[in-house]
Amino acid sequence: MKQFVLVSLLLASSLCVAKAAPCVYDMTPLPVTQGIVSGITPTGVKLRDGTTVILPDEFLASVRLNQKLAVRGLVSTATHTVQALALDGTPPVCPSAPTIPRGPFAGSPAYDAIRP
């Protein structure tokens, strides 16, 4: 019975942790943005100071309200938006696969489609 309790506690604690992956690129030069999560959006989170953080899909499952969040990423110069590329830490935690937005590209059938 004691083993069952220990195993269930281990599984429960491992479910809400983001998948750690070695970063393909050096994330240390990127600025760190940190704050308390005040809201969750379809693409990321909103911090208490009004900053919108766009997160990779892998990290969305591990974010909770009123939790401290620190990310490394690209900061917008015009708006209070950060495109997060990694969770801050030693070493930084990156998504397991680089998230590259896919969309229509020149020469693809979707690129030439006319949508009303």
Side-chain angles (χ1 to χ4, degrees), residues 77-88:
T77 56
T79 62
H80 294 287
T81 305
V82 176
Q83 176 71 51
L85 300 175
L87 296 177
D88 190 39

Side-chain angles (χ1 to χ4, degrees), residues 9-99:
L9 284 173
L10 180 66
L11 287 174
S13 65
S14 66
L15 290 178
C16 60
V17 176
K19 293 179 187 174
C23 294
V24 177
Y25 301 101
D26 182 16
M27 297 293 169
T28 53
L30 293 174
V32 176
T33 302
Q34 54 188 349
I36 304 294
V37 176
S38 66
I40 297 177
T41 65
T43 59
V45 297
K46 194 116 173 132
L47 301 180
R48 281 192 186 160
D49 66 355
T51 304
T52 301
V53 180
I54 301 169
L55 291 169
D57 292 338
E58 279 185 47
F59 296 151
L60 282 175
S62 64
V63 175
R64 304 284 182 257
L65 289 174
N66 299 321
Q67 174 187 13
K68 185 176 178 184
L69 179 69
V71 296
R72 289 187 177 269
L74 305 174
V75 180
S76 171
T77 56
T79 62
H80 294 287
T81 305
V82 176
Q83 176 71 51
L85 300 175
L87 296 177
D88 190 39
T90 307
V93 178
C94 293
S96 60
T99 54

